[in-house]
Amino acid sequence: MTPTGGSAVHAALAGDAVLAEHYAAFRASTEAALDPALVALVRQGVAAVHGLESAPDESGLDEGTRDCLAYARRMPFEHTAIEDAEAAGVVAHLGEAGFVAFSVLAALADAECRAALVDLPGLAGS
Amino acid sequence: MSTIPRVSSAVPGEPAHFGSVLAHQPEIAASFFALYGRFWQSEVLSARIKEVARMRNARVTQCGFCRNVRFDKAVAQGLGEDAVDDIADGYETSGRLTPAEKAVLKFTDALIHDPELLTGDAKAALQRHLTPAQIAELGLGVTLFLALAKALITMGLEPETMDRTVLPTPAVLEAAE
């Protein structure tokens, strides 16, 4: 299994350079739209929910960032239960454009962890 | 689950939907649609098989938009509503879905719901029916279907009501490259 969920899909696409390149570009564009520290927190927080990494250290985080992290942690198993007020809190912290990138990032981080958990690269012979 | 958009449209005159909201992030939108078009355009795995997995994801994630959309290439490859109706719990006993499609559904359930579902038998069935390249493409597809559905739902972009809608299968827009 890929150690972190992040590269499981890309690793599985080792035999298809075109799709691998486009997948990497999509992932990179999502990450580039947000603060790198927040990207790392979201990825680690989601991976921790899946048991793939330890929980991130929240000491020193401002309230808005903690709210974002809490929101991201709900993506794996509680995405339909997220309330309007929680989303509004993230929008207030990141702005609308930031919220869009954040939503894609958190959802993709969850899906990538799941791809790692089924050992997608192993199934694909990569 | 909210059906009230949590983010506004970035396209003047258009309501908030996935495309108009993603327009807040043009680079993400461009890279996503380039990837998604290439994925659907690839013939390593048939559009019918991809659509079977997409429909299963739509049902499990409760994505109403995804559940009501059909892509025309899969319809042309014989994926009718009777078979789509069978992409529900108990699909293992369907007489309309092929053994390969049932193996794909089990993999889809494992990725989007519970990895423990990919037991030895299920894994063997998947690898019997699909080549490694097809499994890689399927894994990419299910990853994107899942992420897209969850992003759409959490941004409040679920329609209150929606009729079944056949759409052109996503394609690569060369001019946008």
Side-chain angles (χ1 to χ4, degrees):
Chain A
M1 183 184 298
T2 308
T4 60
S7 61
V9 180
H10 192 259
L13 291 170
D16 188 327
V18 173
L19 283 179
E21 178 187 335
H22 281 277
Y23 184 77
F26 169 53
R27 197 169 185 272
S29 68
T30 302
E31 294 188 346
L34 295 163
D35 183 292
L38 179 62
V39 170
L41 272 174
V42 168
R43 287 202 173 279
Q44 187 178 352
V46 170
V49 172
H50 284 291
L52 292 171
E53 292 188 30
S54 59
D57 179 6
E58 295 187 46
S59 62
L61 297 180
D62 61 61
E63 184 178 350
T65 303
R66 281 201 303 272
D67 288 347
C68 289
L69 182 57
Y71 186 105
R73 283 174 168 148
R74 280 161 71 72
M75 196 64 86
F77 297 104
E78 301 172 313
H79 69 281
T80 60
I82 292 172
E83 301 283 348
D84 290 341
E86 295 172 81
V90 177
V91 172
H93 187 63
L94 299 177
E96 285 201 310
F99 176 66
V100 171
F102 172 85
S103 299
V104 174
L105 172 73
L108 192 61
D110 168 52
E112 288 180 334
C113 286
R114 292 173 181 277
L117 287 167
V118 298
D119 187 21
L120 182 61
L123 289 169
S126 300
Chain B
M1 182 156 41
S2 178
T3 56
I4 299 171
R6 292 165 171 168
V7 61
S8 67
S9 167
V11 180
E14 280 199 31
H17 55 74
F18 187 71
S20 69
V21 162
L22 205 57
H24 281 288
Q25 292 285 358
E27 295 294 325
I28 297 175
S31 61
F32 171 75
F33 289 118
L35 169 64
Y36 207 50
R38 278 187 167 74
F39 163 76
W40 278 100
Q41 193 176 56
S42 169
E43 295 182 351
V44 170
L45 195 62
S46 74
R48 174 174 167 134
I49 288 275
K50 292 172 185 171
E51 187 78 331
V52 164
R54 192 183 67 80
M55 294 309 303
R56 181 62 182 167
N57 174 73
R59 291 192 174 180
V60 175
T61 59
Q62 302 176 46
C63 178
F65 175 83
C66 314
R67 200 165 48 223
N68 283 299
V69 165
R70 306 285 184 272
F71 286 141
D72 59 1
K73 197 185 285 186
V75 175
Q77 290 177 1
L79 187 64
E81 289 306 310
D82 51 354
V84 171
D85 287 344
D86 283 359
I87 304 173
D89 291 350
Y91 58 76
E92 294 90 345
T93 62
S94 169
R96 300 183 183 94
L97 299 168
T98 68
E101 288 165 348
K102 292 175 186 176
V104 164
L105 287 168
K106 189 64 73 179
F107 168 80
T108 303
D109 278 353
L111 197 151
I112 67 180
H113 177 58
D114 180 2
E116 296 300 322
L117 292 172
L118 206 60
T119 61
D121 287 349
K123 181 177 174 181
L126 181 72
Q127 293 179 315
R128 185 167 62 250
H129 291 292
L130 269 61
T131 66
Q134 289 174 320
I135 293 172
E137 196 165 289
L138 175 65
L140 168 64
V142 176
T143 297
L144 294 177
F145 301 151
L146 177 63
L148 183 65
K150 287 191 174 181
L152 195 148
I153 289 168
T154 55
M155 288 193 285
L157 302 177
E158 277 283 271
E160 282 190 40
T161 60
M162 182 178 173
D163 293 331
R164 188 174 304 137
T165 306
V166 178
L167 296 178
T169 303
V172 178
L173 301 175
E174 297 297 345
E177 291 295 291

